[in-house]
Amino acid sequence: MTAPARPSSTVPTSDADPFGSEVLEDPLPMHEALREAGPVVLLERYDTFALARYDDVHAALVNWQEFESSAGVGLSNFRYEEPWRPPSILLEADPPRHDAPRRVLQKVLDPRALRRLREDWAADADALVDEVLARGTTFDAAKDLGAVFPLRVFPDAVGIPQPGREKLLPYGDHAFNAFGPANDLVAKGAPRVAELSGWVNEQCRREVLAPTGFGADIWAASDRGEITPEQAPLAVRSLLTAGVDTTVHGISAILYAFATHPDQWQRLRAEPALARVAFDEAVRWESPVQTFFRTATTDVRIGDVVVPEGRKVLMFLAAANRDPRRWADPDRFDLARDPSGHVGFGMGIHQCVGQHVARLEAVSIVTALARRVRSIELDGPTVRHHNNTLRALESVPVRVTLD
Amino acid sequence: MTAISPAPAAGAADVATLRVTGKQPQADGVLTLELSSPSGGRLRDWTPGAHIDLVLPNGLTRQYSLCGDRRNPGTYRVGVLHEPESRGGSAYVHEQLRVGDLVGVGGPRNNFPLVPSARYLFVAGGIGITPILPMVAQAEQLGADWRLLYGGRRRDSMAFLDELAGYGDRVLVRPEDEFGLLDLPGFVGEPRAGVRIYSCGPAPLLAAMERTCAYWPPYSLRVERFVADDAGAPARTAPFEVELARTGTTVTVTPDVTVLEALNRVGVEVLSSCRSGVCGTCETTVLAGRPDHRDALLDDDERQVGDCMYVCVSRSRDERLVLDL
């Protein structure tokens, strides 16, 4: 077909700002408006195409041939703009360069490789829950559990030293802000970029990493030639960037979901094996990672619209995860639902390589809580944390009753 | 623009049962098969060096390297040599399999991945060219410095010569009846760092490669052995039973549904994600019975152990499987 220089005139448009504070406070109305506007919508403010329906988001996620990642998975187009840091060899890479790092990390983070962590993490979760409950039956599920547990277990599993770990969250927060436009959130993080990046890069060095752990496993793969020694620290960096804030907000999300759905907590208490399904349902319902961009490698037809080659496409994972075309009663957090197939971890060759780690962390903490807590409910207003990519909670005050 | 339908909710049946859409002779005794989803949807992604398990209509399972274009998500291509002493695999493909037939497919899995390097040497013998073909395409795309030494009995028995011609003098075609045995030491040269050597072909060639590269740095040489035309039990085409150890429930799995679907129908929820044997979310512990693995995750050793399976695609070799559910 002949490619029009401009998108077809039939494309619905929206003047919404997905990265403005009003939308970040509550993105659900905008998600619905975008879904209802059509399969693809032009976001006038950023001159970018948006997908918000499940089928179209899913199709774009798996179609690496026509929607590339190496031009950046944020708004910034690496074809014309300099990335703020050396691009990720996973997230911001396409086949064939993506193949080897992905294969290595997939093996390092494979469910069978995580079995040795299961008992330790369950014990760590029990200990943290005991500590928090020892202080009383009101606490902040986001600050006291969500923001704490991943930082207790994950950096140890990677094998980085203790000092400086408090830099991980602000680093990740900035990295996820940087996928959006250069707005106030990016400006807020800018002053510390050099310091935080320098520290994170230092932790990726072989000499700094513990002799066992995910970091050491990645370096061992480079000894076998599976990735190059230049790629090894960047693969470790991917773990440190993508593995902390996401699980923090994922755990806060599931605790918030239970605090607002008391019947579902009772269901989990009756059937603790549902913890795994509950976490994926929470990831569907809240979508801690809300969005990612791709770049069209050719003119791609979506519905009646042609997305021209070279143009950015914004995929609303969160909107897809609540698309009523795919999910019955999508706004309900429901353990009776089969959340399989949600796109909260993405889909296709870039699907979250750490998803099994995230599930293990969440299942550990939720199971520990279910062992001791009979009921959980909100004990005050929740506070959102704004991020250009992440849906996050700063504060979730809860009151619990114990067995 | 490709014509691949989005079909996001495509069931596992769409990636685990494919239709033969092409069958073309490539050389004397060698043909290629093209396989596509009956629904026209995307097939599972693969990387150069990967192979699939082909479950033939006669129940035999054979492994073939993928030798097509990974950027075409709708079609797999495999090359099949008619082996004189075939016990029914390659003979069936050559003599009986027809365009339009349905075949079972497991994988793709890759035990022979192309690792990153600026310099590659490839040595292929006979039908061993099949995994090497997408590798050289990739090395070329990446701008690597590479050369291929390709041997065979006679020129007209060597497949893909036309496709390789485009690479010019990077490819040395050396049929035995014209050139004698391959000059391996001359081709690979002195041991040096930073070169990755890939070889696939008959056992004597691989043994010679291992001798030739004995003094190279560790991990320089990677080889893929032909899997023997194995005489293992044919895959089941009949229904089988899945017993759930924790509840005592038994579910019958008919050929038209996956284990996951059968479990869901009786209200047993197993979390899954990709539904194509790629992500690992639906890993389920197997307590008894031999799984018929169709995933892209387990390596050969892990398959042998047989203690877990991915219920979104994998099935059963035995009449009864017992799962820890």
Side-chain angles (χ1 to χ4, degrees):
Chain A
M1 62 173 291
T2 52
R6 295 289 303 164
S8 3
S9 54
T10 55
V11 59
T13 60
S14 167
D15 64 355
D17 182 0
F19 310 102
S21 60
E22 190 186 333
V23 167
L24 294 181
E25 187 63 26
D26 179 12
L28 300 180
M30 183 200 65
H31 290 164
E32 185 181 2
L34 291 177
R35 273 193 310 260
E36 296 314 310
V40 57
V41 180
L42 184 68
L43 296 174
E44 289 177 315
R45 199 177 292 250
Y46 299 107
D47 198 23
T48 288
F49 294 90
L51 309 177
R53 295 182 183 177
Y54 179 87
D55 281 1
D56 300 297
V57 169
H58 188 291
L61 282 167
V62 301
N63 186 356
W64 59 266
Q65 288 93 341
E66 294 182 316
F67 292 108
E68 69 178 359
S69 292
S70 57
V73 296
L75 180 63
S76 172
N77 192 328
F78 294 175
R79 294 184 186 186
Y80 317 110
E81 296 171 74
E82 179 85 3
W84 69 281
R85 61 175 197 173
S88 165
I89 57 171
L90 288 130
L91 192 66
E92 295 159 333
D94 294 307
R97 287 184 172 83
H98 175 260
D99 298 345
R102 173 75 192 193
R103 182 180 171 93
V104 166
L105 270 192
Q106 188 138 336
K107 209 68 189 168
V108 168
L109 303 176
D110 180 281
R112 272 150 288 134
L114 302 181
R115 281 179 189 164
R116 63 193 163 83
L117 296 171
R118 196 171 296 168
E119 285 179 21
D120 286 353
W121 286 11
D124 291 334
D126 283 338
L128 176 61
V129 165
D130 287 348
E131 272 172 46
V132 169
L133 295 179
R135 299 201 292 266
T137 51
T138 59
F139 59 91
D140 193 314
K143 287 179 177 157
D144 299 333
L145 293 177
V148 175
F149 186 65
L151 282 163
R152 283 213 183 168
V153 297
F154 186 68
D156 281 343
V158 176
I160 66 168
Q162 283 286 342
R165 288 183 181 184
E166 71 284 353
K167 298 186 206 301
L168 286 168
L169 274 173
Y171 178 76
D173 193 51
H174 184 73
F176 282 101
N177 273 328
F179 295 122
N183 59 10
D184 54 324
L185 295 169
V186 174
K188 182 193 68 177
R192 292 190 73 193
V193 166
E195 171 216 345
L196 298 175
S197 294
W199 178 83
V200 165
N201 293 342
E202 177 67 13
Q203 310 313 304
C204 301
R205 291 175 51 217
R206 183 169 220 168
E207 299 73 13
V208 175
L209 289 160
T212 59
F214 301 147
D217 293 344
I218 288 168
W219 277 99
S222 85
D223 291 340
R224 296 188 298 269
E226 295 168 15
I227 50 175
T228 67
E230 293 74 31
Q231 290 175 321
L234 289 168
V236 179
R237 193 191 71 176
S238 289
L239 292 186
L240 297 179
T241 310
V244 186
D245 297 66
T246 49
T247 50
V248 163
H249 301 315
I251 289 172
S252 294
I254 188 173
L255 298 178
Y256 171 62
F258 278 125
T260 50
H261 296 75
D263 56 323
Q264 300 304 307
W265 183 253
Q266 295 319 316
R267 199 184 160 104
L268 175 79
R269 289 262 295 171
E271 205 181 330
L274 281 175
R276 206 160 169 266
V277 167
F279 181 60
D280 271 66
E281 169 66 352
V283 171
R284 178 198 71 79
W285 183 71
E286 186 77 343
S287 298
V289 176
Q290 296 267 295
T291 48
F292 269 125
F293 290 80
R294 294 287 189 265
T295 307
T297 60
T298 180
D299 294 340
V300 187
R301 178 177 290 283
I302 301 173
D304 295 331
V305 174
V306 172
V307 175
E309 188 272 336
R311 297 292 295 278
K312 285 273 173 175
V313 176
L314 176 53
M315 306 175 298
F316 283 92
L317 312 181
N321 281 340
R322 293 199 188 203
D323 183 354
R325 295 162 188 79
R326 170 64 176 79
W327 311 97
D329 200 2
D331 294 329
R332 193 176 144 66
F333 172 73
D334 184 0
L335 301 203
R337 179 199 308 282
D338 181 0
S340 303
H342 72 75
V343 291
F345 290 122
M347 198 57 73
I349 63 168
H350 291 284
Q351 190 181 28
C352 176
V353 75
Q355 61 178 299
H356 307 298
V357 182
R359 288 196 184 101
L360 186 56
E361 285 184 28
V363 165
S364 303
I365 199 76
V366 166
T367 305
L369 210 57
R371 236 193 295 278
R372 294 202 52 196
V373 168
R374 187 186 311 159
S375 70
I376 179 168
E377 59 184 49
L378 286 183
D379 189 37
T382 55
V383 180
R384 286 277 166 195
H385 169 81
H386 291 189
N387 182 286
N388 282 333
T389 303
L390 303 174
R391 179 118 170 99
L393 285 151
E394 182 80 43
S395 174
V396 182
V398 294
R399 184 172 50 243
V400 300
T401 58
L402 304 182
D403 277 328
Chain B
M1 225 178 284
T2 56
I4 299 303
S5 66
D14 290 322
V15 292
T17 302
L18 301 185
R19 191 179 297 286
V20 178
T21 49
K23 181 176 176 180
Q24 283 105 23
Q26 292 290 341
D28 196 8
V30 179
L31 59 77
T32 50
L33 292 180
E34 287 182 357
L35 308 169
S36 298
S37 163
S39 71
R42 287 182 67 93
L43 305 180
R44 286 178 278 197
D45 291 308
W46 59 281
T47 52
H51 67 270
I52 55 172
D53 307 308
L54 206 56
V55 186
L56 296 166
N58 67 0
L60 291 174
T61 300
R62 294 293 178 264
Q63 300 186 328
Y64 297 104
S65 297
L66 291 172
C67 61
D69 176 7
R70 67 187 298 197
R71 295 195 64 86
N72 174 354
T75 305
Y76 289 154
R77 184 173 77 155
V78 296
V80 181
L81 170 68
H82 194 166
E83 293 175 81
E85 58 280 35
S86 164
R87 277 176 279 193
S90 70
Y92 185 91
V93 170
H94 274 259
E95 293 158 14
Q96 301 196 44
L97 193 66
R98 285 196 300 252
V99 170
D101 286 352
L102 293 175
V103 291
V105 168
R109 295 182 294 139
N110 197 339
N111 303 323
F112 192 42
L114 190 65
V115 300
S117 183
R119 285 183 294 283
Y120 298 100
L121 294 174
F122 299 101
V123 177
I127 195 65
I129 189 64
T130 50
I132 301 294
L133 201 60
M135 286 188 183
V136 301
Q138 186 146 307
E140 181 74 8
Q141 187 196 341
L142 286 167
D145 181 13
W146 65 272
R147 285 187 301 142
L148 163 64
L149 177 62
Y150 179 19
R153 291 189 309 282
R154 303 177 321 277
R155 195 171 287 271
D156 62 9
S157 71
M158 296 172 68
F160 309 119
L161 292 179
D162 50 341
E163 293 177 34
L164 290 166
Y167 296 118
D169 57 9
R170 285 195 182 280
V171 179
L172 293 175
V173 176
R174 290 291 180 266
E176 195 175 340
D177 64 348
E178 297 172 37
F179 294 89
L181 289 177
L182 292 176
D183 174 16
L184 302 179
F187 179 71
V188 301
E190 291 301 309
R192 56 202 183 277
V195 181
R196 303 294 172 191
I197 307 169
Y198 282 80
S199 187
C200 184
L205 171 67
L206 301 186
M209 281 302 292
E210 281 170 353
R211 285 194 303 275
T212 303
C213 299
Y215 298 103
W216 280 69
Y219 304 106
S220 294
L221 173 65
R222 284 152 206 266
V223 302
E224 173 134 289
R225 290 165 206 291
F226 287 149
V227 179
D229 221 19
D230 86 84
R236 291 187 70 78
T237 48
F240 54 92
E241 299 206 317
V242 172
E243 182 185 324
L244 312 179
R246 293 193 210 174
T247 58
T249 314
T250 296
V251 184
T252 301
V253 183
T254 51
D256 57 321
V257 297
T258 66
V259 174
L260 182 67
E261 287 164 348
L263 292 171
N264 286 342
R265 283 182 191 181
V266 296
V268 178
E269 207 174 319
V270 176
L271 189 69
S272 68
S273 179
C274 71
R275 295 188 183 174
S276 55
V278 173
C279 75
T281 302
C282 67
E283 183 180 299
T284 303
T285 300
V286 177
L287 300 172
R290 293 173 301 159
D292 175 7
H293 296 288
R294 303 281 181 91
D295 61 87
L297 287 148
L298 298 178
D299 62 30
D300 292 340
D301 294 341
E302 292 165 336
R303 287 184 166 210
Q304 280 300 313
V305 176
D307 64 344
C308 73
M309 68 184 289
Y310 299 97
V311 292
C312 67
V313 288
S314 295
R315 307 184 65 81
S316 179
R317 300 188 84 81
D318 293 324
E319 257 172 58
R320 193 176 189 81
L321 271 185
V322 183
L323 302 181
D324 186 18
L325 287 173

